[in-house]
Amino acid sequence: PETMKSFFEVPGSATNSALLKITVEDQNGNSEDDDDLRFRVNLNPEESEDQPGMHLHRMSLQLVGGKTSSHVYQIFFHTVDPDYQVHINVPDHRTPIFPTKEVFHQ
């Protein structure tokens, strides 16, 4: 709550979520080939040419550790709020920063 409060109080600031880890177990049961995928959600400030003075933020997904994985994965990010649906497909998890088309305002 404090992070979001300070984010909304300072126009033009950026924020990010905690790093989330997902372990994908090897299909053959070899734990040495299990892959740990880590990602976080970033909101970075962005200027709008169409709406000067409006504080916008573009959502991006930061993917960590993709170069050490045994396989290539797609990552799908979905929101569960029925009023505002966000669906993001990251075709290759080895992309360090994946900017999305999603733009939000403070």
Side-chain angles (χ1 to χ4, degrees), residues 13-101:
S13 63
T15 192
N16 57 290
S17 70
L19 194 62
L20 177 69
K21 174 182 158 185
I22 299 171
T23 299
V24 180
E25 296 181 359
D26 178 60
Q27 62 185 358
N28 297 321
N30 185 355
S31 62
E32 291 182 12
D33 289 334
D34 289 353
D35 288 325
D36 290 330
L37 309 178
R38 294 175 179 86
F39 72 94
R40 74 178 53 168
V41 176
N42 299 322
L43 291 176
N44 297 310
E46 184 171 292
E47 293 293 323
S48 170
E49 295 177 10
D50 299 340
Q51 302 170 339
M54 181 171 263
H55 303 291
L56 301 176
H57 288 79
R58 180 166 303 276
M59 181 180 177
S60 65
L61 298 178
Q62 180 180 0
L63 309 161
V64 180
K67 295 183 181 185
T68 60
S69 60
S70 302
H71 305 283
V72 177
Y73 300 94
Q74 282 187 294
I75 295 176
F76 297 92
F77 177 89
H78 304 279
T79 58
V80 293
D81 187 329
D83 294 329
Y84 187 78
Q85 295 289 312
V86 175
H87 303 282
I88 299 167
N89 173 16
V90 181
D92 186 339
H93 80 286
R94 298 171 296 178
T95 305
I97 302 282
F98 186 81
T100 71
K101 64 178 179 145

